[in-house]
Amino acid sequence: MTTAEGTRSTPRIGELVYDLEREAMGRVAYVDTGGNVAWVKPLHEGPEWTALPEQLRRAPDGER
């Protein structure tokens, strides 16, 4: 996941994120043990999807 400072970090389970590739918000459901892939659940109905940490950014308070 990319932070506001541009550094890469591993997303945390339960964290609200914005997927830059899909242009969608969701909540992190699972992260593989190496921190290389995150499974994200949509905020509403729909299937989970996988995302690379660098595709994700933390959702700012105004987007929650």
Side-chain angles (χ1 to χ4, degrees):
M1 175 163 49
T2 305
T3 64
E5 300 81 36
T7 58
R8 185 176 183 268
S9 66
T10 303
R12 296 179 188 197
I13 294 174
E15 188 170 36
L16 188 61
V17 293
Y18 182 77
D19 185 331
L20 299 169
E21 189 75 22
R22 287 180 169 261
E23 297 182 352
M25 292 207 16
R27 198 164 292 280
V28 177
Y30 176 78
V31 180
D32 75 344
T33 55
N36 298 318
V37 177
W39 279 257
V40 182
K41 291 178 115 178
L43 295 180
H44 305 289
E45 296 295 317
E48 289 183 0
W49 70 87
T50 58
L52 300 173
E54 53 268 13
Q55 288 175 219
L56 302 175
R57 70 169 173 82
R58 287 187 183 97
D61 289 335
E63 292 181 325
R64 295 175 188 219

